[in-house]
Amino acid sequence: MKICIVGAGKLGTKVANALLGGSHSVTVIDKNESTLQNLSSRLDIMTIAGNGKQISILRDIHIASFDFLLACTDRDEKNIVIASFAKKLGCSKVIARVRDPEHVGQADFIRDTMSIDYLVNPDMAITNEIYKYLIEKTTLSNGIFTTEKAAIIEFSVNAMPQLIGLRIHEVRQILPNMLVVSISQNGKIIIPHGDTLVCENNTLYVIGEKDEIISLNSKVRKKGKYNDLEKVVIIGGGKTGLFLAQKLSAFGISTKIVERNLDRCYYLSEHLDDTIVLHGDATDLNLLEEENFDSMNALVTCTGFDEDNLLLALLAKNHGIDNVIAKVSRGIYTDMVSQMGVDMALNPLDITASSILRLIQGRKKILLSEIIQGQAEVIEIVAASHMKLTSMPLSKLHLPDGILIAAIHRNRTLIIPDGNTTIRANDRVIIFCLLSKLTDLEKVINTPDGSSLFR
């Protein structure tokens, strides 16, 4: 497919890199020539220096021949205008990234009026993942996600203590016909190997035949939703903090926001009902003590600074807060987060890029897509005869770390694969992938001749 990306920032670059893994034709437009030179030196893309709002530029590249345009500059209004212009000029599908809370409240009107196919909002995407985790105490609906004959369950290994201390290959002796496809370890999602050790307090994601998973669910999960959540403190009153406070307070959760910018505090107070807004620095231990933060059920750090978020998450854990969630934008901090014992770490860039890639690939090819704890994704695709995945045992595919073939639907049979399993054409393949490995995933489901599964 032909895809145009307007805006060569972090999101535009990540999406372009991932799309090239699928051998799409990518054109990037940006006003910064040095940024484009750096990008073109690393990626096989066409770059255009200029303002994406200029109709002449869109016409010069023949935007009507493009399958998708993604507008992801640093301004919402500009993204909306660019996407609308491209649509009017004949581009098949257009996507605009928006971040302003006012745009979220009128998203349907913007889409209909401006003829935009999709609006993506990174802060709302993160908010939905945090909310789902806090309210459900799980990142899957009621702990189980199903598709056809397969089901995936999420549960704490503490509910099945006989698994603690075992290697993954040993777990299959206790859970036959099932496969541990992912482990949440101190807030970090990992794709395990056969020798990976299952430790106390790990959260396991196990796939298997639906009836067997439902039976397992009755043994390891309590009925009903997690509803003991009463008090939540949000550090950082930015867009994520605002969206999350709105959803939590609407659910009846006692919510506090700590924000160091006084003008932002006034804004939050005007736009939030039933939420306490505190002006102060959350790294001040005196403030934490005065507000009795030790009594909070959960703390979410979502300031604009990764370092602050990590420090505050560590303080919260040291104060015994049960659920600590951190927003971390830089991948280099991922290992630090896991060592600190944070319950959940979210990267807005990875989540947004995944959403955009699935929109571009379309539901006809991607049969399902579910984000796991904001760090990994489970997708189901239809295998084609010319794909690299087919016609050889999985052990010979040499899949990159962070990608796992979890299950195969073949006709009416569900196969939990091992190294000797071979994928055939028309199989429906369920894949687990870390969001940080999206580019590698595109290469895995690419075809040997360089064409893409998603063409």
Side-chain angles (χ1 to χ4, degrees):
M1 288 192 290
K2 293 179 66 177
I3 297 115
C4 177
I5 299 174
V6 183
K10 293 180 180 179
L11 178 61
T13 300
K14 187 175 185 68
V15 172
N17 196 19
L19 288 171
L20 288 176
S23 298
H24 300 284
S25 174
V26 180
T27 299
V28 177
I29 301 175
D30 196 278
K31 293 191 293 185
N32 192 314
E33 292 189 21
S34 62
T35 298
L36 292 177
Q37 289 176 358
N38 180 49
L39 196 60
S40 61
S41 68
R42 295 184 291 110
L43 302 177
D44 183 19
I45 60 175
M46 177 180 290
T47 59
I48 306 291
N51 189 337
K53 287 196 301 184
Q54 292 183 347
I55 295 176
S56 59
I57 290 181
L58 295 177
R59 283 177 170 160
D60 286 345
I61 65 171
H62 305 291
I63 194 64
S65 67
F66 279 70
D67 299 286
F68 273 91
L69 176 137
L70 166 64
C72 54
T73 73
D74 57 355
R75 293 179 54 197
D76 287 359
E77 290 76 11
K78 187 175 181 180
N79 292 335
I80 292 171
V81 169
I82 292 170
S84 181
F85 283 0
K87 188 69 173 182
K88 296 293 186 182
L89 291 172
C91 185
S92 296
K93 298 287 184 181
V94 296
I95 305 169
R97 180 185 65 183
V98 296
R99 291 184 277 201
D100 195 313
E102 278 72 17
H103 291 147
V104 174
Q106 53 196 21
D108 291 340
F109 182 82
I110 293 173
R111 280 193 296 262
D112 295 341
T113 305
M114 306 299 287
S115 301
I116 297 174
D117 295 288
Y118 307 105
L119 295 176
V120 294
N121 186 301
D123 296 287
M124 183 56 74
I126 287 180
T127 296
N128 290 335
E129 293 298 321
I130 296 173
Y131 179 81
K132 184 167 62 174
Y133 178 81
L134 290 177
I135 299 303
E136 303 272 351
K137 201 62 176 75
T138 176
T139 57
L140 297 175
S141 177
N142 291 323
I144 296 182
F145 182 78
T146 61
T147 166
E148 284 277 320
K149 291 181 174 293
I152 302 165
I153 185 174
E154 168 192 4
F155 67 93
S156 171
V157 71
N158 296 349
M160 205 168 185
Q162 62 268 40
L163 300 180
I164 297 174
L166 298 183
R167 305 287 178 179
I168 290 298
H169 67 85
E170 297 172 322
V171 171
R172 294 196 72 167
Q173 299 175 13
I174 298 178
L175 299 176
N177 304 318
M178 301 183 197
L179 180 65
V180 178
V181 292
S182 185
I183 297 176
S184 177
Q185 200 168 71
N186 295 325
K188 180 183 178 181
I189 289 286
I190 63 172
I191 305 297
H193 299 288
D195 291 330
T196 301
L197 188 67
V198 178
C199 301
E200 187 177 2
N201 299 320
N202 282 174
T203 296
L204 303 185
Y205 294 83
V206 178
I207 194 169
E209 197 276 328
K210 186 184 300 182
D211 290 340
E212 294 185 7
I213 291 293
I214 291 175
S215 175
L216 176 62
N217 181 67
S218 65
K219 301 174 183 177
V220 298
R221 293 187 59 83
K222 297 179 181 179
K223 292 183 178 180
K225 298 180 179 180
Y226 174 81
N227 57 10
D228 296 333
L229 192 70
E230 296 179 353
K231 301 176 183 178
V232 176
V233 60
I234 302 170
I235 309 299
K239 300 176 183 68
T240 301
L242 172 64
F243 292 146
L244 182 59
Q246 289 173 334
K247 291 178 74 71
L248 290 175
S249 60
F251 190 78
I253 304 298
S254 175
T255 307
K256 292 182 180 180
I257 290 185
V258 181
E259 169 58 44
R260 65 178 61 174
N261 184 288
L262 184 57
D263 290 337
R264 184 64 179 176
C265 287
Y266 287 134
Y267 177 89
L268 293 170
S269 297
E270 293 172 359
H271 289 79
L272 290 173
D273 297 323
D274 303 322
T275 297
I276 298 174
V277 179
L278 301 175
H279 176 235
D281 186 348
T283 60
D284 183 355
L285 294 180
N286 292 327
L287 175 62
L288 298 181
E289 293 174 358
E290 290 173 4
E291 296 299 329
N292 297 317
F293 280 14
D294 292 357
S295 66
M296 294 292 172
N297 303 121
L299 181 140
V300 180
T301 65
C302 52
T303 75
F305 303 96
D306 284 356
E307 293 80 3
D308 286 357
N309 291 338
L310 291 171
L311 174 60
L312 293 165
L314 180 59
L315 286 173
K317 274 301 178 185
N318 288 338
H319 278 71
I321 296 179
D322 291 334
N323 300 287
V324 178
I325 300 173
K327 175 182 174 182
V328 182
S329 299
R330 300 178 66 183
I332 61 174
Y333 289 128
T334 302
D335 290 336
M336 292 179 60
V337 170
S338 64
Q339 293 168 9
M340 293 163 55
V342 174
D343 298 281
M344 189 174 181
L346 300 173
N347 186 317
L349 181 63
D350 287 342
I351 293 175
T352 309
S354 172
S355 299
I356 291 170
L357 288 170
R358 300 307 160 239
L359 290 174
I360 290 174
Q361 290 159 347
R363 291 295 177 182
K364 291 183 179 180
K365 300 298 183 182
I366 297 291
L367 302 177
L368 67 87
S369 175
E370 177 82 0
I371 298 294
I372 302 297
Q373 205 163 323
Q375 299 173 48
E377 182 178 21
V378 53
I379 67 170
E380 184 174 15
I381 66 170
V382 178
S385 59
H386 45 263
M387 289 177 59
K388 293 178 180 178
L389 284 177
T390 59
S391 302
M392 71 173 65
L394 295 184
S395 60
K396 295 184 179 181
L397 286 178
H398 304 296
L399 294 175
D401 289 340
I403 299 176
L404 176 71
I405 306 299
I408 300 168
H409 280 123
R410 179 172 298 159
N411 298 322
R412 296 188 177 184
T413 302
L414 177 70
I415 300 171
I416 302 299
D418 56 28
N420 297 318
T421 304
T422 299
I423 297 173
R424 301 176 186 172
N426 298 318
D427 283 350
R428 293 171 54 174
V429 184
I430 300 175
I431 304 173
F432 259 72
C433 175
L434 297 179
L435 294 186
S436 59
K437 299 293 184 179
L438 288 176
T439 300
D440 292 327
L441 175 62
E442 295 297 318
K443 294 176 180 177
V444 166
I445 55 183
N446 192 16
T447 61
D449 61 0
S451 62
S452 171
L453 168 67
F454 303 111
R455 284 185 184 274

